[in-house]
Amino acid sequence: MIRFWLEKVWVQNTVLLAIAAIMTYYWGWVFDFGYKFEWSMLYTVNETYQVNLGLEILKGLWVTVKITAISAAIGLGLGTVLGLSRLSDFKPLRYTATCIIEFFRNTPLLVVLFFFYFAFPRALPDAAREWIFSFHFEFWTAAVAVGMYTSAFMAEVIRAGLQSIPKGILEAAYSSGLSYVQVLRKIILPLAFREIIPPLGSEFLNNMKNTSLAMFVGVADMTWQAQQAEALTFKGFEATTAASVMYLSFSLIISFVLNGVNGKLRTVGNTNRSLPVLFVSLFYLPFSVASSALFNPVGRFLRARRRQRAASTYVSARQAALRMVAKRAAQAAILAGKAAFLLLLGSCLYVTIKGLITFDWAAIVTEFSHLIIWQFPHEEADPFLGMGGFTLSFIIAVVAIAASFLIGLVVGLGRCSNNRIFRIPSLLYIELIRGNPLIIVIYWVYFLIPVLFNTFFNTVWSASIALTLFTAAYLAEIVRGGIQNIPPGQVEAATASGLTYWQTMRKIILPQALKQMIPPIVGLFIAIFKDTSLVSILGVMELTSVAKAVDNRLMVASMEIWTTTALLYFIPCFLMSKYAAALERKLSPEKVNLKM
C-alpha cells in the first residue's frame, strides 16, 4: 500500500514539501543554536572597523574572477601544447610532456603553490628576484600555479579528444594535400574541441574552485575576505554562507556558459534552442556579423585563387624552384626547432643536476624523519598519538575514503532512484558539496559542528569529517556511473525473475558495478590524499604543515624542503595512479573475455 502511494508523483512532491516545512520550522523556531545571527554584517558598515564587510567579500569575488580567467587561459593554452606533445613522434618532446603532466597530476596544488612562492624565488639571482617581486608577485604566483596545475588535467582531456578522431579522417586530409599545420588547424582541433567540451567544462569548474587556495599566499580573494570577516567579527557562519552562495552562483554561471557553447558547437542533431545556446548565440552574433562582412569574402577570394592555381597544370621553373626552397626551409626549420628543444632540455637538465649537487642534503637527512612522522607532545587520549607529517596525511585519507564509502553508496543509490523523495535530496547534497571548494566545506564543518552539538572536536576529526563529506559526494557520482553502466536488461530480467529492488541491487547490480568502480575509487583516494594538504588551514600538522614549519625554522633550505615534500606526495600518488590505470585496463568490459 505504501509503495503504491509513494509511486505517485504528487505524493512525492507533497512529502518533499512537508519535509522542507518541518525542517524550516525546527531549525528556525525550535532548535536553540546558542548563537546570535547577524546577517546585517553583510550589508552594513561595521562600526568598529568602519568598513562594509559584504562589499569587501564582493571585492574578493572580483579577484577570484580575475585569477580564474587568467589561470583558465594558461591551463587551456599550455594544456593544448602538452596534449599535442604527448602524441608527438619526437620522443624527447613526448617524454618531457609526460613528465610535466605526471608531476602536476600527482602533486597537491598547495605544495606547487608553496614551491613557486617560497622556493622558486630563492633559485633566482637577486636582480631577477627583485624584478618579479615588483609585479604583484602573490597574485601572479597564484594565477600561474593554478593555471599550470590545471593544464596537466586539460592536457589529458585534449589528448583523449585527439585520439578519438577516426584515423580515416586524417588519412583523407593528408591525401587531399593538406600539410600537418593545416590538418591540425582545420581538422583535428575543431573536431577534438567539439568532443571534449563537457570534460573541459568540469576542468574549468575545478580550476575556479582551486583559486580558493590563493589565500595561502596572501591574495585577497573571496575565501580570504570571508575568513577575514570571520576573524574581525567572529561571525563565521554568515561570512562562510556568503562565500558559499557566491561560489555556487559562479559555478552555475560557468556551467550555463559551457552548456551553451556545447550546444552551439554540436553539429549532429543540433536542434537545441535552449536558453544557454541562445545566450551564447547572442554573444557570438557581433563576431559572426564581422566574420561574414570582413573575413569570409577574403577567404573566398583566397580559396578561389588556390583552386585556380591548383587547376593549372603548368608550373614554371621559377615556381618549382620556389616550392623546393620553401619545402627545404620548412624541413630545416623543423630540424632547427628540434635542435633548439634538445638544447633547451639539456640546459634544464644541467641546471637541475647542478642544483641537486648543491642541495643542502644534511638538512634533508635531518628533517626527513620529521616530514614522515612529526612527533610532538600530545594528550594521552589523542587517538593519533601526536603523529603528524606524511603518516597523518595517509591516515586522514584512509579514514575519509573508508567512512565516505557507505555515505557515497547510499547517496549514489538515492541519486539513481526514480522516486523524487530520494533523488532530489541526494542531488542537492551532491551539487551543494561539489559546487564549493574543499576549503569552504572545511570551514562549514569547523563552524557548524560546535553550533549543532555544542562541543568542539579535535581539528584532526573536524578535518576528517569535512573530507569524508566531500569525498562522499564524489563517490556518489562514481556509484551512479557504475550502476548506469549495467545494461538495463539485467534489471528487467531480475525483476521478471521475482527479485525485489534490494535483492536485485545486492545480488545483481552492485557486485558488477563495484567491480567497475574500483579504478575510479583508487583515483579518488589519490585526490583525497593530495587534498589532505588543505586541512593545514585548521592547523592540523599533516605533511604540508610540517614542511612549512620546518621551512620557517630553517629559513635557508626552502628549495630542499619543498622539493622533498613534493616527492613525498608524488611517489605514492604516481604509483597508485599507475595501479588504477592497470586495474581499469584489466577490468574494462572490452578486455573481459568469456572463458568456457
mmCIF file with all atom_site columns, all heavy atoms in Angstrom, residues 238-258:
data_model
loop_
_atom_site.group_PDB
_atom_site.id
_atom_site.type_symbol
_atom_site.label_atom_id
_atom_site.label_alt_id
_atom_site.label_comp_id
_atom_site.label_asym_id
_atom_site.label_entity_id
_atom_site.label_seq_id
_atom_site.pdbx_PDB_ins_code
_atom_site.Cartn_x
_atom_site.Cartn_y
_atom_site.Cartn_z
_atom_site.occupancy
_atom_site.B_iso_or_equiv
_atom_site.pdbx_formal_charge
_atom_site.auth_seq_id
_atom_site.auth_comp_id
_atom_site.auth_asym_id
_atom_site.auth_atom_id
_atom_site.pdbx_PDB_model_num
ATOM 1   N N   . GLU A 1 238 ? 27.897 33.488 9.003   1.00 0.00 ? 238 GLU A N   1
ATOM 2   C CA  . GLU A 1 238 ? 27.393 34.410 7.991   1.00 0.00 ? 238 GLU A CA  1
ATOM 3   C C   . GLU A 1 238 ? 28.405 34.602 6.868   1.00 0.00 ? 238 GLU A C   1
ATOM 4   O O   . GLU A 1 238 ? 28.056 34.599 5.682   1.00 0.00 ? 238 GLU A O   1
ATOM 5   C CB  . GLU A 1 238 ? 27.071 35.767 8.627   1.00 0.00 ? 238 GLU A CB  1
ATOM 6   C CG  . GLU A 1 238 ? 25.914 35.745 9.622   1.00 0.00 ? 238 GLU A CG  1
ATOM 7   C CD  . GLU A 1 238 ? 26.344 35.335 11.016  1.00 0.00 ? 238 GLU A CD  1
ATOM 8   O OE1 . GLU A 1 238 ? 27.414 34.711 11.145  1.00 0.00 ? 238 GLU A OE1 1
ATOM 9   O OE2 . GLU A 1 238 ? 25.610 35.618 11.975  1.00 0.00 ? 238 GLU A OE2 1
ATOM 10  N N   . ALA A 1 239 ? 29.681 34.775 7.244   1.00 0.00 ? 239 ALA A N   1
ATOM 11  C CA  . ALA A 1 239 ? 30.715 35.007 6.225   1.00 0.00 ? 239 ALA A CA  1
ATOM 12  C C   . ALA A 1 239 ? 30.879 33.793 5.315   1.00 0.00 ? 239 ALA A C   1
ATOM 13  O O   . ALA A 1 239 ? 30.973 33.933 4.083   1.00 0.00 ? 239 ALA A O   1
ATOM 14  C CB  . ALA A 1 239 ? 32.042 35.329 6.906   1.00 0.00 ? 239 ALA A CB  1
ATOM 15  N N   . THR A 1 240 ? 30.875 32.587 5.911   1.00 0.00 ? 240 THR A N   1
ATOM 16  C CA  . THR A 1 240 ? 31.026 31.378 5.097   1.00 0.00 ? 240 THR A CA  1
ATOM 17  C C   . THR A 1 240 ? 29.804 31.158 4.217   1.00 0.00 ? 240 THR A C   1
ATOM 18  O O   . THR A 1 240 ? 29.926 30.694 3.074   1.00 0.00 ? 240 THR A O   1
ATOM 19  C CB  . THR A 1 240 ? 31.253 30.164 6.013   1.00 0.00 ? 240 THR A CB  1
ATOM 20  O OG1 . THR A 1 240 ? 32.332 30.436 6.901   1.00 0.00 ? 240 THR A OG1 1
ATOM 21  C CG2 . THR A 1 240 ? 31.603 28.928 5.202   1.00 0.00 ? 240 THR A CG2 1
ATOM 22  N N   . THR A 1 241 ? 28.614 31.485 4.738   1.00 0.00 ? 241 THR A N   1
ATOM 23  C CA  . THR A 1 241 ? 27.408 31.351 3.915   1.00 0.00 ? 241 THR A CA  1
ATOM 24  C C   . THR A 1 241 ? 27.477 32.265 2.693   1.00 0.00 ? 241 THR A C   1
ATOM 25  O O   . THR A 1 241 ? 27.151 31.847 1.569   1.00 0.00 ? 241 THR A O   1
ATOM 26  C CB  . THR A 1 241 ? 26.161 31.707 4.751   1.00 0.00 ? 241 THR A CB  1
ATOM 27  O OG1 . THR A 1 241 ? 26.091 30.834 5.871   1.00 0.00 ? 241 THR A OG1 1
ATOM 28  C CG2 . THR A 1 241 ? 24.895 31.566 3.921   1.00 0.00 ? 241 THR A CG2 1
ATOM 29  N N   . ALA A 1 242 ? 27.920 33.511 2.896   1.00 0.00 ? 242 ALA A N   1
ATOM 30  C CA  . ALA A 1 242 ? 28.032 34.442 1.762   1.00 0.00 ? 242 ALA A CA  1
ATOM 31  C C   . ALA A 1 242 ? 29.017 33.922 0.721   1.00 0.00 ? 242 ALA A C   1
ATOM 32  O O   . ALA A 1 242 ? 28.728 33.934 -0.488  1.00 0.00 ? 242 ALA A O   1
ATOM 33  C CB  . ALA A 1 242 ? 28.478 35.810 2.268   1.00 0.00 ? 242 ALA A CB  1
ATOM 34  N N   . ALA A 1 243 ? 30.179 33.448 1.171   1.00 0.00 ? 243 ALA A N   1
ATOM 35  C CA  . ALA A 1 243 ? 31.168 32.916 0.222   1.00 0.00 ? 243 ALA A CA  1
ATOM 36  C C   . ALA A 1 243 ? 30.637 31.680 -0.491  1.00 0.00 ? 243 ALA A C   1
ATOM 37  O O   . ALA A 1 243 ? 30.835 31.510 -1.703  1.00 0.00 ? 243 ALA A O   1
ATOM 38  C CB  . ALA A 1 243 ? 32.467 32.593 0.965   1.00 0.00 ? 243 ALA A CB  1
ATOM 39  N N   . SER A 1 244 ? 29.933 30.828 0.262   1.00 0.00 ? 244 SER A N   1
ATOM 40  C CA  . SER A 1 244 ? 29.400 29.597 -0.332  1.00 0.00 ? 244 SER A CA  1
ATOM 41  C C   . SER A 1 244 ? 28.364 29.896 -1.417  1.00 0.00 ? 244 SER A C   1
ATOM 42  O O   . SER A 1 244 ? 28.383 29.293 -2.498  1.00 0.00 ? 244 SER A O   1
ATOM 43  C CB  . SER A 1 244 ? 28.776 28.732 0.775   1.00 0.00 ? 244 SER A CB  1
ATOM 44  O OG  . SER A 1 244 ? 28.361 27.500 0.264   1.00 0.00 ? 244 SER A OG  1
ATOM 45  N N   . VAL A 1 245 ? 27.475 30.868 -1.131  1.00 0.00 ? 245 VAL A N   1
ATOM 46  C CA  . VAL A 1 245 ? 26.456 31.238 -2.124  1.00 0.00 ? 245 VAL A CA  1
ATOM 47  C C   . VAL A 1 245 ? 27.111 31.813 -3.385  1.00 0.00 ? 245 VAL A C   1
ATOM 48  O O   . VAL A 1 245 ? 26.711 31.501 -4.508  1.00 0.00 ? 245 VAL A O   1
ATOM 49  C CB  . VAL A 1 245 ? 25.470 32.265 -1.504  1.00 0.00 ? 245 VAL A CB  1
ATOM 50  C CG1 . VAL A 1 245 ? 24.573 32.870 -2.582  1.00 0.00 ? 245 VAL A CG1 1
ATOM 51  C CG2 . VAL A 1 245 ? 24.616 31.586 -0.444  1.00 0.00 ? 245 VAL A CG2 1
ATOM 52  N N   . MET A 1 246 ? 28.154 32.620 -3.200  1.00 0.00 ? 246 MET A N   1
ATOM 53  C CA  . MET A 1 246 ? 28.832 33.203 -4.364  1.00 0.00 ? 246 MET A CA  1
ATOM 54  C C   . MET A 1 246 ? 29.562 32.147 -5.181  1.00 0.00 ? 246 MET A C   1
ATOM 55  O O   . MET A 1 246 ? 29.561 32.184 -6.412  1.00 0.00 ? 246 MET A O   1
ATOM 56  C CB  . MET A 1 246 ? 29.807 34.288 -3.899  1.00 0.00 ? 246 MET A CB  1
ATOM 57  C CG  . MET A 1 246 ? 29.120 35.536 -3.403  1.00 0.00 ? 246 MET A CG  1
ATOM 58  S SD  . MET A 1 246 ? 30.298 36.822 -2.979  1.00 0.00 ? 246 MET A SD  1
ATOM 59  C CE  . MET A 1 246 ? 29.224 38.002 -2.203  1.00 0.00 ? 246 MET A CE  1
ATOM 60  N N   . TYR A 1 247 ? 30.204 31.199 -4.515  1.00 0.00 ? 247 TYR A N   1
ATOM 61  C CA  . TYR A 1 247 ? 30.876 30.126 -5.254  1.00 0.00 ? 247 TYR A CA  1
ATOM 62  C C   . TYR A 1 247 ? 29.853 29.295 -6.038  1.00 0.00 ? 247 TYR A C   1
ATOM 63  O O   . TYR A 1 247 ? 30.085 28.934 -7.197  1.00 0.00 ? 247 TYR A O   1
ATOM 64  C CB  . TYR A 1 247 ? 31.652 29.226 -4.305  1.00 0.00 ? 247 TYR A CB  1
ATOM 65  C CG  . TYR A 1 247 ? 33.064 29.691 -4.042  1.00 0.00 ? 247 TYR A CG  1
ATOM 66  C CD1 . TYR A 1 247 ? 33.469 30.069 -2.779  1.00 0.00 ? 247 TYR A CD1 1
ATOM 67  C CD2 . TYR A 1 247 ? 33.991 29.764 -5.074  1.00 0.00 ? 247 TYR A CD2 1
ATOM 68  C CE1 . TYR A 1 247 ? 34.764 30.506 -2.531  1.00 0.00 ? 247 TYR A CE1 1
ATOM 69  C CE2 . TYR A 1 247 ? 35.285 30.195 -4.848  1.00 0.00 ? 247 TYR A CE2 1
ATOM 70  C CZ  . TYR A 1 247 ? 35.664 30.565 -3.579  1.00 0.00 ? 247 TYR A CZ  1
ATOM 71  O OH  . TYR A 1 247 ? 36.946 31.002 -3.353  1.00 0.00 ? 247 TYR A OH  1
ATOM 72  N N   . LEU A 1 248 ? 28.714 28.975 -5.397  1.00 0.00 ? 248 LEU A N   1
ATOM 73  C CA  . LEU A 1 248 ? 27.680 28.205 -6.100  1.00 0.00 ? 248 LEU A CA  1
ATOM 74  C C   . LEU A 1 248 ? 27.157 28.971 -7.304  1.00 0.00 ? 248 LEU A C   1
ATOM 75  O O   . LEU A 1 248 ? 26.964 28.407 -8.388  1.00 0.00 ? 248 LEU A O   1
ATOM 76  C CB  . LEU A 1 248 ? 26.532 27.885 -5.135  1.00 0.00 ? 248 LEU A CB  1
ATOM 77  C CG  . LEU A 1 248 ? 26.750 26.694 -4.197  1.00 0.00 ? 248 LEU A CG  1
ATOM 78  C CD1 . LEU A 1 248 ? 25.608 26.601 -3.201  1.00 0.00 ? 248 LEU A CD1 1
ATOM 79  C CD2 . LEU A 1 248 ? 26.853 25.400 -4.984  1.00 0.00 ? 248 LEU A CD2 1
ATOM 80  N N   . SER A 1 249 ? 26.933 30.280 -7.130  1.00 0.00 ? 249 SER A N   1
ATOM 81  C CA  . SER A 1 249 ? 26.435 31.100 -8.240  1.00 0.00 ? 249 SER A CA  1
ATOM 82  C C   . SER A 1 249 ? 27.462 31.151 -9.371  1.00 0.00 ? 249 SER A C   1
ATOM 83  O O   . SER A 1 249 ? 27.107 31.038 -10.553 1.00 0.00 ? 249 SER A O   1
ATOM 84  C CB  . SER A 1 249 ? 26.134 32.522 -7.748  1.00 0.00 ? 249 SER A CB  1
ATOM 85  O OG  . SER A 1 249 ? 25.218 32.495 -6.675  1.00 0.00 ? 249 SER A OG  1
ATOM 86  N N   . PHE A 1 250 ? 28.725 31.307 -9.020  1.00 0.00 ? 250 PHE A N   1
ATOM 87  C CA  . PHE A 1 250 ? 29.790 31.349 -10.030 1.00 0.00 ? 250 PHE A CA  1
ATOM 88  C C   . PHE A 1 250 ? 29.854 30.010 -10.777 1.00 0.00 ? 250 PHE A C   1
ATOM 89  O O   . PHE A 1 250 ? 30.021 29.967 -12.013 1.00 0.00 ? 250 PHE A O   1
ATOM 90  C CB  . PHE A 1 250 ? 31.110 31.658 -9.340  1.00 0.00 ? 250 PHE A CB  1
ATOM 91  C CG  . PHE A 1 250 ? 32.181 32.165 -10.267 1.00 0.00 ? 250 PHE A CG  1
ATOM 92  C CD1 . PHE A 1 250 ? 31.905 32.521 -11.578 1.00 0.00 ? 250 PHE A CD1 1
ATOM 93  C CD2 . PHE A 1 250 ? 33.487 32.294 -9.825  1.00 0.00 ? 250 PHE A CD2 1
ATOM 94  C CE1 . PHE A 1 250 ? 32.892 32.995 -12.421 1.00 0.00 ? 250 PHE A CE1 1
ATOM 95  C CE2 . PHE A 1 250 ? 34.490 32.762 -10.661 1.00 0.00 ? 250 PHE A CE2 1
ATOM 96  C CZ  . PHE A 1 250 ? 34.179 33.098 -11.970 1.00 0.00 ? 250 PHE A CZ  1
ATOM 97  N N   . SER A 1 251 ? 29.712 28.909 -10.049 1.00 0.00 ? 251 SER A N   1
ATOM 98  C CA  . SER A 1 251 ? 29.725 27.578 -10.686 1.00 0.00 ? 251 SER A CA  1
ATOM 99  C C   . SER A 1 251 ? 28.566 27.442 -11.665 1.00 0.00 ? 251 SER A C   1
ATOM 100 O O   . SER A 1 251 ? 28.721 26.916 -12.775 1.00 0.00 ? 251 SER A O   1
ATOM 101 C CB  . SER A 1 251 ? 29.635 26.481 -9.618  1.00 0.00 ? 251 SER A CB  1
ATOM 102 O OG  . SER A 1 251 ? 30.735 26.525 -8.753  1.00 0.00 ? 251 SER A OG  1
ATOM 103 N N   . LEU A 1 252 ? 27.375 27.923 -11.258 1.00 0.00 ? 252 LEU A N   1
ATOM 104 C CA  . LEU A 1 252 ? 26.208 27.824 -12.138 1.00 0.00 ? 252 LEU A CA  1
ATOM 105 C C   . LEU A 1 252 ? 26.397 28.669 -13.397 1.00 0.00 ? 252 LEU A C   1
ATOM 106 O O   . LEU A 1 252 ? 25.995 28.260 -14.490 1.00 0.00 ? 252 LEU A O   1
ATOM 107 C CB  . LEU A 1 252 ? 24.949 28.272 -11.374 1.00 0.00 ? 252 LEU A CB  1
ATOM 108 C CG  . LEU A 1 252 ? 24.475 27.319 -10.275 1.00 0.00 ? 252 LEU A CG  1
ATOM 109 C CD1 . LEU A 1 252 ? 23.308 27.921 -9.509  1.00 0.00 ? 252 LEU A CD1 1
ATOM 110 C CD2 . LEU A 1 252 ? 24.070 25.973 -10.864 1.00 0.00 ? 252 LEU A CD2 1
ATOM 111 N N   . ILE A 1 253 ? 27.017 29.848 -13.252 1.00 0.00 ? 253 ILE A N   1
ATOM 112 C CA  . ILE A 1 253 ? 27.244 30.708 -14.427 1.00 0.00 ? 253 ILE A CA  1
ATOM 113 C C   . ILE A 1 253 ? 28.209 30.028 -15.408 1.00 0.00 ? 253 ILE A C   1
ATOM 114 O O   . ILE A 1 253 ? 27.976 30.006 -16.623 1.00 0.00 ? 253 ILE A O   1
ATOM 115 C CB  . ILE A 1 253 ? 27.793 32.081 -13.968 1.00 0.00 ? 253 ILE A CB  1
ATOM 116 C CG1 . ILE A 1 253 ? 26.707 32.859 -13.233 1.00 0.00 ? 253 ILE A CG1 1
ATOM 117 C CG2 . ILE A 1 253 ? 28.293 32.891 -15.167 1.00 0.00 ? 253 ILE A CG2 1
ATOM 118 C CD1 . ILE A 1 253 ? 27.197 34.127 -12.566 1.00 0.00 ? 253 ILE A CD1 1
ATOM 119 N N   . ILE A 1 254 ? 29.290 29.445 -14.870 1.00 0.00 ? 254 ILE A N   1
ATOM 120 C CA  . ILE A 1 254 ? 30.250 28.752 -15.747 1.00 0.00 ? 254 ILE A CA  1
ATOM 121 C C   . ILE A 1 254 ? 29.570 27.572 -16.444 1.00 0.00 ? 254 ILE A C   1
ATOM 122 O O   . ILE A 1 254 ? 29.753 27.359 -17.653 1.00 0.00 ? 254 ILE A O   1
ATOM 123 C CB  . ILE A 1 254 ? 31.474 28.294 -14.925 1.00 0.00 ? 254 ILE A CB  1
ATOM 124 C CG1 . ILE A 1 254 ? 32.260 29.510 -14.438 1.00 0.00 ? 254 ILE A CG1 1
ATOM 125 C CG2 . ILE A 1 254 ? 32.378 27.396 -15.765 1.00 0.00 ? 254 ILE A CG2 1
ATOM 126 C CD1 . ILE A 1 254 ? 33.431 29.159 -13.527 1.00 0.00 ? 254 ILE A CD1 1
ATOM 127 N N   . SER A 1 255 ? 28.778 26.805 -15.695 1.00 0.00 ? 255 SER A N   1
ATOM 128 C CA  . SER A 1 255 ? 28.072 25.662 -16.293 1.00 0.00 ? 255 SER A CA  1
ATOM 129 C C   . SER A 1 255 ? 27.092 26.136 -17.365 1.00 0.00 ? 255 SER A C   1
ATOM 130 O O   . SER A 1 255 ? 26.956 25.512 -18.424 1.00 0.00 ? 255 SER A O   1
ATOM 131 C CB  . SER A 1 255 ? 27.304 24.888 -15.207 1.00 0.00 ? 255 SER A CB  1
ATOM 132 O OG  . SER A 1 255 ? 28.188 24.394 -14.242 1.00 0.00 ? 255 SER A OG  1
ATOM 133 N N   . PHE A 1 256 ? 26.409 27.264 -17.100 1.00 0.00 ? 256 PHE A N   1
ATOM 134 C CA  . PHE A 1 256 ? 25.454 27.834 -18.056 1.00 0.00 ? 256 PHE A CA  1
ATOM 135 C C   . PHE A 1 256 ? 26.149 28.182 -19.374 1.00 0.00 ? 256 PHE A C   1
ATOM 136 O O   . PHE A 1 256 ? 25.693 27.815 -20.462 1.00 0.00 ? 256 PHE A O   1
ATOM 137 C CB  . PHE A 1 256 ? 24.822 29.079 -17.419 1.00 0.00 ? 256 PHE A CB  1
ATOM 138 C CG  . PHE A 1 256 ? 23.814 29.783 -18.290 1.00 0.00 ? 256 PHE A CG  1
ATOM 139 C CD1 . PHE A 1 256 ? 22.494 29.378 -18.314 1.00 0.00 ? 256 PHE A CD1 1
ATOM 140 C CD2 . PHE A 1 256 ? 24.203 30.855 -19.078 1.00 0.00 ? 256 PHE A CD2 1
ATOM 141 C CE1 . PHE A 1 256 ? 21.567 30.030 -19.108 1.00 0.00 ? 256 PHE A CE1 1
ATOM 142 C CE2 . PHE A 1 256 ? 23.287 31.516 -19.880 1.00 0.00 ? 256 PHE A CE2 1
ATOM 143 C CZ  . PHE A 1 256 ? 21.964 31.095 -19.899 1.00 0.00 ? 256 PHE A CZ  1
ATOM 144 N N   . VAL A 1 257 ? 27.291 28.864 -19.281 1.00 0.00 ? 257 VAL A N   1
ATOM 145 C CA  . VAL A 1 257 ? 28.022 29.266 -20.490 1.00 0.00 ? 257 VAL A CA  1
ATOM 146 C C   . VAL A 1 257 ? 28.553 28.047 -21.236 1.00 0.00 ? 257 VAL A C   1
ATOM 147 O O   . VAL A 1 257 ? 28.440 27.950 -22.471 1.00 0.00 ? 257 VAL A O   1
ATOM 148 C CB  . VAL A 1 257 ? 29.170 30.232 -20.118 1.00 0.00 ? 257 VAL A CB  1
ATOM 149 C CG1 . VAL A 1 257 ? 30.037 30.523 -21.325 1.00 0.00 ? 257 VAL A CG1 1
ATOM 150 C CG2 . VAL A 1 257 ? 28.604 31.527 -19.553 1.00 0.00 ? 257 VAL A CG2 1
ATOM 151 N N   . LEU A 1 258 ? 29.128 27.099 -20.499 1.00 0.00 ? 258 LEU A N   1
ATOM 152 C CA  . LEU A 1 258 ? 29.705 25.919 -21.162 1.00 0.00 ? 258 LEU A CA  1
ATOM 153 C C   . LEU A 1 258 ? 28.625 25.057 -21.805 1.00 0.00 ? 258 LEU A C   1
ATOM 154 O O   . LEU A 1 258 ? 28.846 24.469 -22.871 1.00 0.00 ? 258 LEU A O   1
ATOM 155 C CB  . LEU A 1 258 ? 30.511 25.105 -20.147 1.00 0.00 ? 258 LEU A CB  1
ATOM 156 C CG  . LEU A 1 258 ? 31.825 25.773 -19.705 1.00 0.00 ? 258 LEU A CG  1
ATOM 157 C CD1 . LEU A 1 258 ? 32.457 25.011 -18.565 1.00 0.00 ? 258 LEU A CD1 1
ATOM 158 C CD2 . LEU A 1 258 ? 32.784 25.854 -20.885 1.00 0.00 ? 258 LEU A CD2 1
#
